[in-house]
């Protein structure tokens, strides 16, 4: 008898975080909705991932050891190709799904017709509190343009790659796409996926924190100083949505999308630059030109100029204050050493 197609596929990408991977796997196996397959893609050719966890035995798990190193995007897109579920989501090996994640999404899919995409809110931090009471709330249905407008204006919080997609839809848009100059740790790839969901007629959003996005020292996003990777990804992001969101309703809202995205981009860029030790004037000028050239609207140009000025001024003042604080601290330490030598 031929095996029935699972309703959900969950694709976990991993490389070297054995302890965190075990937690991620367990969060999937603990789901209250049981009709799923779990595909684990190992990109580390020095080990067999299944051999690291011989105690985890479940017929719904498929262990994939890639013969060549694919990188994150090659890994996740290969898992999408291998998946057999009607719907699919992805998960990094350091994050977790809440126990009712699949159940809540299945409820939305079963009560509505032709559902292509479902997103949820998420929890973030170093440790996941599984005892938090999560009141069930009604899902919010939005048209494609309503969703993109709400997402780019930060009204609804979600992680694009942790949404649940109709498998055929995710394949039709090419899976996950790296953006910018850093192809291994590309910023905004999950944000682009969330925006591309606007290509569908209807998106459902569950305002419950059903996913745990772990912030920890091993996470590269919290320490990045590569401003070029961010600016190049931002440029490619804008070009992609310009080419993708071409329907009348999206064109009518284009400036509203752009305003939300540029606010987001400027804030990210200033934050990344502030982490660095030196300010590159030439690159800063080029970034200013990129922002100003992102629109033909004089009104938006003025708004972007004000945004850039405010953010840059705050960053400079914060940097100056930190610099003065460091000088005071060094002076205090030097005086203490002199005092101890004298007495």
């Amino acid at each position: 008898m031929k095996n029935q197609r699972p309703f959900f596929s969950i694709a976990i990408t991993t490389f070297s975080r054995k302890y965190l991977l075990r937690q991620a796997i367990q969060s999937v196996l603990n789901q209250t909705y049981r009709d799923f397959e779990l595909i684990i893609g190992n990109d580390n050719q020095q080990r067999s991932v299944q051999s690291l966890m011989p105690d985890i035995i479940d017929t719904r798990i498929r262990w994939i050891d890639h013969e060549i190193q694919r990188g994150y995007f090659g890994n996740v897109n290969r898992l999408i190709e291998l998946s057999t579920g009607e719907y699919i989501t992805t998960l990094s090996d350091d994050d977790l799904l809440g126990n009712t994640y699949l159940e809540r999404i299945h409820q939305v899919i079963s009560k509505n017709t032709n559902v292509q995409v479902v997103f949820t809110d998420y929890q973030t931090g170093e440790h996941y509190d599984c005892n938090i009471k999560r009141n069930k709330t009604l899902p919010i249905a939005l048209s494609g343009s309503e969703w993109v407008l709400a997402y780019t204006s930060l009204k609804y919080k979600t992680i694009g790659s942790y949404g649940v997609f109709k498998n055929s839809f995710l394949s039709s848009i090419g899976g996950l796409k790296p953006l910018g100059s850093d192809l291994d740790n590309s910023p905004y790839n999950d944000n682009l996926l969330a925006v591309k969901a606007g290509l569908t007629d209807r998106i459902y959003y569950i305002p419950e924190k059903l996913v745990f996005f772990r912030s920890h020292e091993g996470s590269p996003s919290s320490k990045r100083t590569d401003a070029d990777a961010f600016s190049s990804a931002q440029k490619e992001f804008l070009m992609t949505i310009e080419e993708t969101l071409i329907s009348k309703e999206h064109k009518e809202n284009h400036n509203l999308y752009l305003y939300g995205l540029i606010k987001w981009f400027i804030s990210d860029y200033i934050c990344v630059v502030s982490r660095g030790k030196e300010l590159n004037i030439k690159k800063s000028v080029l970034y200013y030109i990129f922002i100003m050239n992102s629109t033909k609207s004089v009104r938006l140009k003025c708004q972007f100029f004000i945004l850039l000025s405010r953010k840059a001024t705050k960053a400079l003042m914060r940097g100056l204050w930190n610099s003065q604080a460091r000088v005071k601290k060094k002076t205090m330490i030097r005086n203490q050493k002199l005092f101890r030598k004298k007495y």
Side-chain angles (χ1 to χ4, degrees):
M1 183 177 174
K2 191 175 181 180
N3 290 333
Q4 192 174 10
R5 183 184 189 186
F7 195 82
F8 292 110
S9 292
I10 301 103
I12 296 182
T13 54
T14 189
F15 184 81
S16 61
R17 297 183 287 210
K18 174 186 172 182
Y19 174 69
L20 295 177
L21 172 62
R22 177 179 287 274
Q23 293 182 27
I25 293 172
Q26 202 58 55
S27 79
V28 176
L29 298 180
N30 288 342
Q31 291 298 301
T32 53
Y33 183 84
R34 313 293 292 170
D35 185 10
F36 63 82
E37 67 171 353
L38 171 57
I39 316 173
I40 301 165
N42 170 37
D43 207 28
N44 187 342
Q45 285 69 52
Q46 303 304 312
R47 66 178 192 183
S48 167
V49 68
Q50 185 176 10
S51 66
L52 298 174
M53 303 177 190
D55 57 311
I56 297 180
I57 302 171
D58 194 301
T59 56
R60 293 170 299 179
I61 301 178
R62 295 163 61 193
W63 307 85
I64 309 296
D65 291 312
H66 298 304
E67 293 181 358
I68 58 170
Q69 194 168 90
R70 293 174 173 269
Y72 169 71
F73 293 98
N75 189 352
V76 73
N77 286 323
R78 179 57 180 157
L79 297 185
I80 293 170
E81 291 174 6
L82 294 172
S83 66
T84 61
E86 187 176 352
Y87 289 86
I88 183 168
T89 188
T90 68
L91 187 68
S92 291
D93 61 1
D94 57 341
D95 297 330
L96 307 170
L97 299 181
N99 292 357
T100 59
Y101 173 79
L102 293 181
E103 178 187 342
R104 294 290 287 122
I105 289 171
H106 182 263
Q107 288 170 356
V108 173
I109 295 171
S110 61
K111 292 177 181 178
N112 298 278
T113 58
N114 195 31
V115 177
Q116 301 288 308
V117 186
V118 183
F119 291 113
T120 78
D121 197 351
Y122 65 94
Q123 177 186 339
T124 187
E126 292 187 19
H127 305 287
Y128 181 54
D129 185 356
C130 58
N131 296 317
I132 290 177
K133 282 192 174 181
R134 293 173 178 80
N135 297 322
K136 287 188 177 181
T137 54
L138 291 174
I140 301 164
L142 303 104
S143 69
S145 60
E146 287 172 339
W147 165 253
V148 177
L149 184 57
Y151 180 71
T152 54
S153 63
L154 305 182
K155 182 179 179 180
Y156 296 135
K157 190 177 68 166
T158 195
I159 298 173
S161 54
Y162 293 176
V164 169
F165 298 83
K166 188 91 170 183
N167 209 323
S168 55
F169 171 71
L170 188 57
S171 298
S172 72
I173 61 173
L176 273 76
K177 177 186 176 185
L179 295 169
S181 57
D182 188 347
L183 299 181
D184 293 324
N185 296 294
S186 168
Y188 303 114
N189 61 86
D190 66 301
N191 307 115
L192 180 61
L193 196 58
V195 171
K196 280 185 173 182
L199 291 169
T200 64
D201 295 328
R202 186 71 59 195
I203 294 96
Y204 292 88
Y205 178 75
I206 304 174
E208 298 173 34
K209 298 178 190 288
L210 299 174
V211 175
F212 177 59
F213 180 76
R214 196 190 305 266
S215 56
H216 56 95
E217 289 185 1
S219 175
S221 58
S222 61
K223 299 178 180 179
R224 298 190 70 163
T225 59
D226 46 344
D228 287 346
F230 276 76
S231 60
S232 59
Q234 290 173 5
K235 291 173 187 176
E236 196 170 345
F237 191 114
L238 293 183
M239 285 190 294
T240 302
I241 64 168
E242 187 81 33
E243 297 166 356
T244 306
L245 304 180
I246 57 176
S247 68
K248 183 181 178 181
E249 63 174 2
H250 286 307
K251 288 293 185 184
E252 289 172 351
N253 287 302
H254 178 75
N255 281 351
L256 294 174
Y257 300 164
L258 187 61
Y259 179 71
L261 285 170
I262 294 297
K263 278 182 67 177
W264 192 345
F265 288 170
I266 290 173
S267 181
D268 284 353
Y269 186 80
I270 295 293
C271 182
V272 171
V273 169
S274 298
R275 289 193 199 120
K277 294 181 179 180
E278 295 181 5
L279 177 66
N280 187 307
I281 300 299
K282 181 180 178 181
K283 289 181 180 179
S284 299
V285 170
L286 290 174
Y287 186 75
Y288 169 82
I289 293 171
F290 152 61
I291 294 296
M292 290 298 109
N293 288 342
S294 65
T295 181
K296 295 178 181 178
S297 166
V298 175
R299 182 181 176 184
L300 280 183
K301 285 180 186 290
C302 292
Q303 290 175 326
F304 293 164
F305 175 77
I306 293 169
L307 279 170
L308 269 170
S309 301
R310 285 177 179 172
K311 291 284 185 181
T313 301
K314 283 183 180 179
L316 286 170
M317 292 301 292
R318 188 164 56 247
L320 180 62
W321 187 89
N322 289 338
S323 178
Q324 290 174 341
R326 284 194 294 270
V327 170
K328 286 181 181 179
K329 186 176 180 180
K330 286 180 180 179
T331 303
M332 183 178 69
I333 292 170
R334 187 171 63 249
N335 290 339
Q336 287 174 343
K337 287 180 178 178
L338 289 171
F339 180 81
R340 282 197 293 269
K341 282 181 180 180
K342 188 174 181 180
Y343 297 99

